[in-house]
Structure formats: C-alpha cells, structure tokens
Amino acid sequence: MNFRERITMSPNVMHGKPSIRNMRFTVTQMLELVGGGMSFDEILADYPYIERDDILACVQFAARVIDSRSAVSFI
C-alpha cells in the first residue's frame, strides 16, 4: 500500500494540512487517536468512513516525515 494514494494535501481542505483522502480528517488527528491508545478496530467503529488502509497510510506518512526534512516532497 502506498500512502500517497490516501494522504492528500489541498489548500481547500483543512488549510492544506495532510488529510485522509481529501476528507476533513487530518493525519494529526489519526495519530492522536492511535497514540492515545485506540485500537484500529475502535477507530474503525467510531469513524465508519475511515478504512484500515487509511490508518496505515497515516503511520507510514508520519514515519516518512520524521525521516525527512519536508513532508511536501513525498506527496
């Protein structure tokens, strides 16, 4: 799975912050849920429009950002 297919950045959505499939759900929001201890199954139950691959894409994106100087170069 390629996170570039799921993580988008558009000036018209969430002021250009990385978000999931151009929805008003940012990578940061997802990472806060995962970091707060929610399981993937809990997230999927609470947010039915989110898919498992969306969660994985957020984690992959975050790993790339931490390992690089700029997130923009990956999208």
Side-chain angles (χ1 to χ4, degrees), residues 5-69:
E5 297 170 1
R6 296 198 171 255
I7 305 303
T8 55
M9 290 172 45
S10 169
N12 298 322
V13 179
M14 302 301 288
H15 304 286
K17 292 180 181 179
S19 62
I20 298 170
R21 294 183 282 123
N22 280 318
M23 294 188 289
R24 298 186 61 77
F25 200 112
T26 65
V27 171
T28 300
Q29 289 171 302
M30 180 60 70
L31 295 173
E32 287 173 347
L33 295 177
V34 172
M38 284 186 79
S39 70
F40 284 16
D41 289 336
E42 290 170 325
I43 293 169
L44 296 171
D46 286 355
Y47 302 94
Y49 49 89
I50 296 294
E51 300 171 5
R52 184 174 192 82
D53 282 347
D54 295 328
I55 302 170
L56 294 172
C58 289
V59 173
Q60 287 180 350
F61 179 82
R64 288 285 182 98
V65 169
I66 289 170
D67 196 36
S68 72
R69 292 184 182 176

